[in-house]
Amino acid sequence: MGYTRENFEEWIILIPFKMEYFTDTFARENNLKLDYSMESLDELEKWILANYKDAEGLIKDKKTLDYLTVYIGETFRKYIGGKWFIDLENKKNVFYSMPVLKSPEYKGVTSKSPLTYATACISRNKGDYISTILRNNMEH
């Protein structure tokens, strides 16, 4: 999922529209309650685990991965703040050309990567991997 400055700005503008679809139509079709709560992260993670056997499968499903990235990120923003950011300068940055959340208030790791949380939860196979990351970030 590589971005340019222009299409990243467009991506930001489209967040409310994507989330309207994801929290309404997608949630109804998949019997999910997506209300930006901690519980909804667990419910969504269980859905990911039920629908993808590995991270590669989710990565190939670019549209769903994009919705998951935005939803997880917006849920994190509700609890710990932050702004969407993209690094298009430093190619050595592990999150190069990937949407991340950043905030001067974040302790420890200064970039939160909802996209990698969505893919990593599959191999972790816990059901509360993503919400645990959020809880740990709230404690700092």
Side-chain angles (χ1 to χ4, degrees):
M1 225 190 277
Y3 290 94
T4 63
R5 180 70 50 213
E6 294 74 33
N7 63 18
F8 179 68
E9 289 170 8
E10 181 181 323
W11 184 85
I12 296 285
I13 291 166
L14 293 175
I15 285 175
F17 304 101
K18 290 176 184 179
M19 287 304 90
E20 187 176 320
Y21 161 78
F22 195 69
T23 60
D24 182 28
T25 306
F26 179 88
R28 247 193 347 268
E29 289 171 354
N30 291 280
N31 200 27
L32 296 167
K33 182 181 178 194
L34 300 178
D35 58 1
Y36 303 100
S37 67
M38 201 70 76
E39 297 75 26
S40 74
L41 290 176
D42 292 344
E43 198 174 327
L44 191 58
E45 184 169 334
K46 287 176 180 79
W47 179 89
I48 294 168
L49 292 172
N51 286 279
Y52 298 93
K53 67 180 189 329
D54 56 36
E56 290 76 33
L58 179 53
I59 290 166
K60 285 179 186 162
D61 188 352
K62 289 181 179 4
K63 188 173 185 179
T64 301
L65 181 56
D66 185 50
Y67 284 121
L68 292 168
T69 298
V70 175
Y71 182 80
I72 293 166
E74 290 298 298
T75 303
F76 270 56
R77 282 172 26 92
K78 174 185 168 188
Y79 287 94
I80 62 172
K83 291 195 181 317
W84 287 104
F85 173 80
I86 194 163
D87 180 355
L88 297 171
E89 311 295 320
N90 180 6
K91 290 188 168 139
K92 292 182 179 172
N93 181 346
V94 67
F95 301 128
Y96 175 75
S97 82
M98 193 185 299
V100 296
L101 293 175
K102 287 184 89 82
S103 170
E105 280 85 51
Y106 290 166
K107 306 287 185 257
V109 180
T110 58
S111 294
K112 312 296 177 201
S113 177
L115 185 152
T116 60
Y117 302 156
T119 57
C121 79
I122 299 169
S123 62
R124 300 307 192 281
N125 198 21
K126 292 178 139 184
D128 67 351
Y129 172 75
I130 300 167
S131 66
T132 298
I133 292 170
L134 178 54
R135 281 188 183 88
N136 289 342
N137 278 280
M138 291 167 61
E139 291 170 8
H140 290 111

